[in-house]
Amino acid sequence: MAETQTVLWARLLDRVHGPNPPRVVAVDPRTTKVAEAARATGGVHLAPMPGTNQALMNALIREVVHNGWADEGYIAAHTVGFEELKATVEPYTPEHAAGICRVPAADIRRAAEVFGTSERLLSTVLQGFFQSHQATAASCAVNNLHLLRGMLGRPGCGVLQMNGQPTAQNTRECGADGDLPGFRSWDNPEHVRQLADLWNVDPLTIPHWAPPTHALQIWRYCEQGSIGLLWISGTNPAVSLPELSRIRRILRQDSLFTVAQDGFLTETARHADVVLPAALWGEKQGTFTNADRTVHLSDKAVDPPGEARSDLDIWLDYARRMDFRDKDGAPLIPWSDPRGAFEAWKECTRGRPVDYTGLTYDKLRGGGGIPWPVNDEALEGTERLYADADFPIRADDCEIYGHDLLTGGAVGEQEYRAANPGGRAFLKGVAYVPPPEGPGEDYPFVLTTGRTVYHFHTRTKTGRSRRLHRAAPDVWVELSVNDAARLGVGEGDVVRVESRRGAAQAPARIGQGRDGVVFVPFHYGYWDRPAADGTSRAANELTMTEWDPVSKQPTFKIGAVRVTRTVGATGPSPAPTTTASAPADPDGIPPTVGGPDADVHEHLRTTAPPTPGTAECPAPGTTTSADETKG
């Protein structure tokens, strides 16, 4: 959270350093700032091996049940599946889970006590769970803990299953992740009919004959040639997706015509057949929603440069040129600006859990945002959900009927109705199974990837900020003290990290992670430095094309690698010293390295990308040649 959700983290620090601080439990193989807060508050830092989250969660649930900390009245009234969950977690004693996760059994017991005895409980879940082995199962297990203790829908209690960076909530609400808008179910004919009536189209034109095609499956179809046109908007898969050599190979296929819609000439855009320059956030108007459902309005501040246009304008122009029409022959999209789109979206949410109908632009101006649902029953928004413990999972209302957490097999409507959940929440559990790839003789380390606070996603914007670039100018490979000693690697030595899929090379940071785990930040691609054989620096050169069977999230957090020292150090690594990448021996690193106002050392000046705003690396909006202005 300290690296990705900085505003929320600042609020948590107010509590940690104030009177009556909360106990913090941190689950992370690295010693993050959250882990430091756990230690400072008498909480617990659990550092499991990547790929073992489900075993850990099963043990925590078992301890809560065995110690009598579960709220049996709440469970009986508001949940289904308790007996099945108990049977599933029964084998996971703290000792059994400790052997799988390689953490002390006593720490598992202490963490379970925090969960089981606290008067209030808030959990935050981030990509360490979502992009790992058994991702959905482990995330459901966090929900289970709160349901077992009745810690939902009241002050100080709740679960924030957050995105990797703020404000990505809208994609879930609007169906931009492949589902139907407004949390509707593709498998529910009534939900399909609602959209057909709203848009005045034949229901058969709304895709609902099979589950949504997830992102990695789309790439597989491109690879096979069954998709011939790929339109990529606002993301950079040539750096952010796993197994980058495969992604580049697909983008180069003659059978695939690619459109890239972006504010910058990213690595992906450089492979595209057509680049559509898109406006950035201050150059367009619209609303966005945070993980806690708070809706904000962002007004346009400046006009976009050159030929850049907002994404909305681009899509509306495309719809007009394609002459999309409804079943009466009228234009399919009758609105032409952001406010019109917002009014249309409000109607799409009417009566759904994500109800926006009571919101207006005027209402959103001048305040701190309003959390949905906002309607006639909640004119000023809804501070928290589930206060009445009545969950919106009735068969006629829910977005999805669920999946088998182990296989990903879909639950059918009849099976769902037979469970008779009513408004009660499901307690869903599953046994731990080993990850698809683990360390061995040839590849003895587990690779996990992640973020640093100074950069967003693939650095297309943050890498062009002088201060952020100087704070984290280049990629690094993070090793534990013991692993570095065994490998004969010192701070700043250049190491080569290899997996079965590819390799990357970067200076080493001797950090505070656990033994057996190698960490590489995923932000760094090649827009500011050409990739050459043997000098690849992107973490996703190493990651695997595997995904969680339910959420379809790639498993970025696990994979087997080996590490080899290649070149001696000329100075410390470029890793920041003020974050989770802080060195294990701070006395060995000058304190200015990694700070936003630091003087970058000579070895960084000679190896880092050009500073944004110079002739070698133009600032955004700077024209250098006809070929680059379109990005």
Side-chain angles (χ1 to χ4, degrees), residues 138-298:
S139 301
C140 285
V142 178
N143 295 345
N144 290 341
L145 275 174
H146 282 259
L147 290 166
L148 291 175
R149 296 228 49 229
M151 295 287 186
L152 286 171
R154 55 191 181 88
C157 301
V159 182
L160 291 175
Q161 303 258 5
M162 298 188 292
N163 309 300
Q165 308 276 185
T167 74
Q169 177 67 24
N170 294 122
T171 61
R172 285 77 172 165
E173 300 169 4
C174 299
D177 56 355
D179 294 314
L180 296 186
F183 296 149
R184 289 178 173 86
S185 171
W186 63 271
D187 206 16
N188 186 324
E190 174 57 22
H191 288 184
V192 176
R193 185 197 62 77
Q194 291 171 8
L195 290 179
D197 289 349
L198 180 68
W199 297 334
N200 193 31
V201 298
D202 189 311
L204 292 178
T205 65
I206 299 175
H208 64 282
W209 42 85
T213 305
H214 61 91
L216 292 185
Q217 186 64 58
I218 289 174
W219 284 91
R220 180 163 290 175
Y221 288 151
C222 292
E223 188 174 38
Q224 295 169 343
S226 54
I227 287 180
L229 170 63
L230 183 65
W231 195 323
I232 302 169
S233 175
T235 190
N236 189 16
V239 177
S240 63
L241 283 186
E243 200 174 347
L244 290 183
S245 60
R246 173 175 175 259
I247 299 301
R248 289 191 295 268
R249 185 173 66 249
I250 295 170
L251 287 170
R252 288 194 294 261
Q253 288 180 185
D254 291 338
S255 60
L256 183 66
F257 188 91
T258 306
V259 178
Q261 184 169 313
D262 207 292
F264 298 95
L265 194 61
T266 63
E267 292 85 346
T268 302
R270 290 185 183 277
H271 282 93
D273 297 282
V274 171
V275 177
L276 300 177
L280 301 181
W281 68 270
E283 301 163 353
K284 58 187 177 182
Q285 185 181 54
T287 62
F288 58 89
T289 309
N290 284 16
D292 67 348
R293 301 171 287 107
T294 301
V295 183
H296 303 265
L297 174 64
S298 177

Side-chain angles (χ1 to χ4, degrees), residues 182-498:
F183 296 149
R184 289 178 173 86
S185 171
W186 63 271
D187 206 16
N188 186 324
E190 174 57 22
H191 288 184
V192 176
R193 185 197 62 77
Q194 291 171 8
L195 290 179
D197 289 349
L198 180 68
W199 297 334
N200 193 31
V201 298
D202 189 311
L204 292 178
T205 65
I206 299 175
H208 64 282
W209 42 85
T213 305
H214 61 91
L216 292 185
Q217 186 64 58
I218 289 174
W219 284 91
R220 180 163 290 175
Y221 288 151
C222 292
E223 188 174 38
Q224 295 169 343
S226 54
I227 287 180
L229 170 63
L230 183 65
W231 195 323
I232 302 169
S233 175
T235 190
N236 189 16
V239 177
S240 63
L241 283 186
E243 200 174 347
L244 290 183
S245 60
R246 173 175 175 259
I247 299 301
R248 289 191 295 268
R249 185 173 66 249
I250 295 170
L251 287 170
R252 288 194 294 261
Q253 288 180 185
D254 291 338
S255 60
L256 183 66
F257 188 91
T258 306
V259 178
Q261 184 169 313
D262 207 292
F264 298 95
L265 194 61
T266 63
E267 292 85 346
T268 302
R270 290 185 183 277
H271 282 93
D273 297 282
V274 171
V275 177
L276 300 177
L280 301 181
W281 68 270
E283 301 163 353
K284 58 187 177 182
Q285 185 181 54
T287 62
F288 58 89
T289 309
N290 284 16
D292 67 348
R293 301 171 287 107
T294 301
V295 183
H296 303 265
L297 174 64
S298 177
D299 278 314
K300 179 179 174 181
V302 296
D303 289 329
E307 295 180 329
R309 304 165 68 183
S310 74
D311 295 298
L312 178 63
D313 285 344
I314 292 171
W315 293 117
L316 289 174
D317 194 6
Y318 174 74
R320 284 190 293 269
R321 291 169 186 258
M322 294 297 291
D323 198 27
F324 292 137
R325 296 185 176 274
D326 65 17
K327 64 183 181 182
D328 294 331
L332 177 65
I333 301 177
W335 33 268
S336 59
D337 59 12
R339 188 185 290 265
F342 184 67
E343 293 301 319
W345 168 241
K346 285 165 57 177
E347 284 305 309
C348 190
T349 67
R350 186 177 295 277
R352 299 300 300 157
V354 59
D355 198 327
Y356 275 62
T357 52
L359 283 173
T360 64
Y361 270 20
D362 289 341
K363 205 170 187 178
L364 289 169
R365 284 195 173 99
I370 302 173
W372 60 255
V374 190
N375 49 32
D376 291 341
E377 288 73 42
L379 294 174
E380 300 304 318
T382 305
E383 185 175 7
R384 58 180 53 87
L385 299 178
Y386 317 131
D388 57 1
D390 185 23
F391 299 95
I393 59 173
R394 291 171 177 83
D396 292 332
D397 301 323
C398 64
E399 181 182 15
I400 199 165
Y401 299 130
H403 298 83
D404 181 283
L405 293 180
L406 193 60
T407 67
V411 174
E413 179 184 359
Q414 296 308 311
E415 181 181 355
Y416 189 88
R417 290 185 182 276
N420 192 27
R424 297 176 294 168
F426 283 100
L427 292 166
K428 298 191 71 171
V430 68
Y432 163 78
V433 296
E437 182 175 278
E441 185 176 349
D442 291 336
Y443 299 93
F445 297 99
V446 176
L447 170 75
T448 189
T449 67
R451 304 166 191 247
T452 181
V453 68
Y454 296 115
H455 287 303
F456 184 97
H457 211 240
T458 62
R459 298 169 55 251
T460 51
K461 287 183 285 190
T462 56
R464 290 170 165 85
S465 160
R466 278 192 181 92
R467 288 171 63 87
L468 297 178
H469 170 76
R470 293 172 72 185
D474 209 343
V475 69
W476 69 91
V477 174
E478 206 167 299
L479 301 169
S480 75
V481 173
N482 291 331
D483 289 340
R486 281 191 289 268
L487 292 166
V489 173
E491 172 69 29
D493 286 354
V494 177
V495 296
R496 179 178 171 86
V497 185
E498 297 177 83

Side-chain angles (χ1 to χ4, degrees), residues 96-118:
H96 179 54
I100 296 171
C101 303
R102 300 189 205 171
V103 297
D107 286 353
I108 295 177
R109 287 192 171 89
R110 286 176 56 219
E113 183 182 3
V114 173
F115 285 118
T117 62
S118 297

Side-chain angles (χ1 to χ4, degrees), residues 27-109:
V27 178
D28 202 300
R30 303 166 73 213
T31 302
T32 63
K33 293 297 179 183
V34 181
E36 292 177 6
R39 295 172 179 178
T41 60
V44 188
H45 174 206
L46 294 164
M49 288 295 290
T52 65
N53 294 334
Q54 184 62 22
L56 175 63
M57 294 307 304
N58 282 349
L60 293 172
I61 290 171
R62 182 188 182 278
E63 282 295 287
V64 167
V65 173
H66 269 252
N67 284 282
W69 293 323
D71 185 335
E72 295 185 1
Y74 187 96
I75 293 168
H78 303 300
T79 72
V80 295
F82 180 50
E83 293 303 321
E84 293 87 344
L85 178 64
K86 277 203 306 182
T88 297
V89 302
E90 180 57 31
Y92 294 88
T93 64
E95 288 73 19
H96 179 54
I100 296 171
C101 303
R102 300 189 205 171
V103 297
D107 286 353
I108 295 177
R109 287 192 171 89

